[in-house]
């Protein structure tokens, strides 16, 4: 199995979101210093999933959609993607995962099917930690929703959770 990692940009975005949207005291509860995070550095995926678990438990106020909503907001706020996605067709974006390869390495992705307004994407996580898989699946759903928004498209993204094998199917539909 390959080494699972995420770039520091994800840590930075989560910490910045908490500090900006939930306040300094909520940020301090997380026990991490945003100034020590390097956006381009690779960090162990389990560390990031632990951060998501802390955010979910301590700041998410029991809202099962909090991680997804936070992720969507951070994706929409990421300036580098705004220009890129504005002119692209959703099928071309959601049918490939090459653009994300430099940002994280933690699962196998494959397109299960697509047409003019629909893509089914499979993500099979490498970690055995079920809680971490669910947190990332929700975080990734928010990223996908953010992409749709950046493209100016209306649509929905549903997760079909498969059995305990770590596979998640994303059903992405747009107008």
């Amino acid at each position: 199995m390959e080494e699972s990692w995420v770039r520091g940009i994800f840590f930075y975005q989560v910490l910045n979101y908490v500090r900006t949207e939930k306040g300094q005291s909520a940020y301090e509860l997380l026990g991490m210093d945003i100034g020590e995070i390097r956006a381009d550095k690779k960090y162990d995926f389990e560390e990031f999933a632990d951060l998501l678990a802390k955010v979910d438990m301590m700041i998410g106020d029991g809202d099962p959609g909090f991680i997804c909503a936070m992720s969507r907001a951070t994706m929409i706020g990421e300036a580098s993607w705004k220009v890129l996605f504005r002119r692209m067709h959703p099928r071309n974006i959601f049918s490939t995962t090459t653009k994300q390869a430099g940002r994280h390495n933690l699962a196998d992705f494959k397109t299960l099917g697509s047409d003019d307004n629909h893509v089914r994407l499979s993500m099979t996580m490498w970690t055995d930690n079920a809680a971490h898989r669910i947190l990332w699946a929700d975080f990734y759903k928010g990223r996908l929703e953010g992409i749709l928004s950046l493209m100016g498209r209306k649509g929905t993204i549903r997760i079909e959770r498969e059995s305990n094998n770590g596979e998640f199917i994303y059903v992405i539909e747009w107008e």
Side-chain angles (χ1 to χ4, degrees):
M1 184 178 303
E2 291 189 53
E3 178 187 2
S4 296
W5 54 265
V6 299
R7 292 279 183 198
I9 187 69
F10 292 119
F11 283 89
Y12 180 84
Q13 289 173 336
V14 167
L15 292 169
N16 190 51
Y17 178 87
V18 169
R19 185 172 60 185
T20 303
E21 299 298 321
K22 298 296 182 174
Q24 186 68 24
S25 60
Y27 164 76
E28 289 172 1
L29 282 173
L30 298 175
M32 292 186 80
D33 181 359
I34 199 169
E36 294 178 9
I37 303 297
R38 288 192 34 226
D40 62 339
K41 182 180 174 192
K42 292 179 183 177
Y43 292 86
D44 182 66
F45 167 70
E46 300 297 331
E47 288 179 52
F48 182 68
D50 286 342
L51 173 62
L52 289 179
K54 271 185 179 178
V55 168
D56 191 39
M57 181 180 69
M58 298 164 71
I59 298 159
D61 298 325
D63 177 359
F66 179 76
I67 293 295
C68 182
M70 175 187 63
S71 177
R72 179 177 48 251
T74 61
M75 183 69 199
I76 290 169
E78 197 171 332
S80 63
W81 294 118
K82 288 180 182 182
V83 173
L84 175 69
F85 291 134
R86 187 176 48 215
R87 296 185 182 154
M88 297 189 79
H89 191 281
R91 184 180 60 219
N92 296 337
I93 292 294
F94 297 125
S95 294
T96 180
T97 57
T98 56
K99 295 250 186 273
Q100 67 190 8
R103 293 209 156 209
H104 54 78
N105 189 48
L106 47 79
D108 292 317
F109 293 88
K110 71 179 169 183
T111 303
L112 302 176
S114 67
D115 60 32
D116 285 339
N117 65 349
H118 164 259
V119 169
R120 286 177 55 86
L121 178 67
S122 168
M123 175 183 73
T124 304
M125 300 285 304
W126 299 335
T127 182
D128 291 330
N129 186 319
H132 286 177
R133 289 192 307 239
I134 290 169
L135 285 164
W136 176 262
D138 290 341
F139 184 82
Y140 191 70
K141 178 180 184 261
R143 302 282 296 173
L144 296 174
E145 289 174 351
I147 292 168
L148 267 179
S149 179
L150 288 171
M151 285 190 278
R153 299 288 186 132
K154 292 183 181 180
T156 60
I157 298 175
R158 251 182 11 262
I159 301 175
E160 296 175 355
R161 288 189 168 90
E162 296 295 316
S163 61
N164 247 354
N165 66 356
E167 182 183 23
F168 298 85
I169 307 294
Y170 291 89
V171 179
I172 307 162
E173 299 172 316
W174 59 89
E175 296 175 11

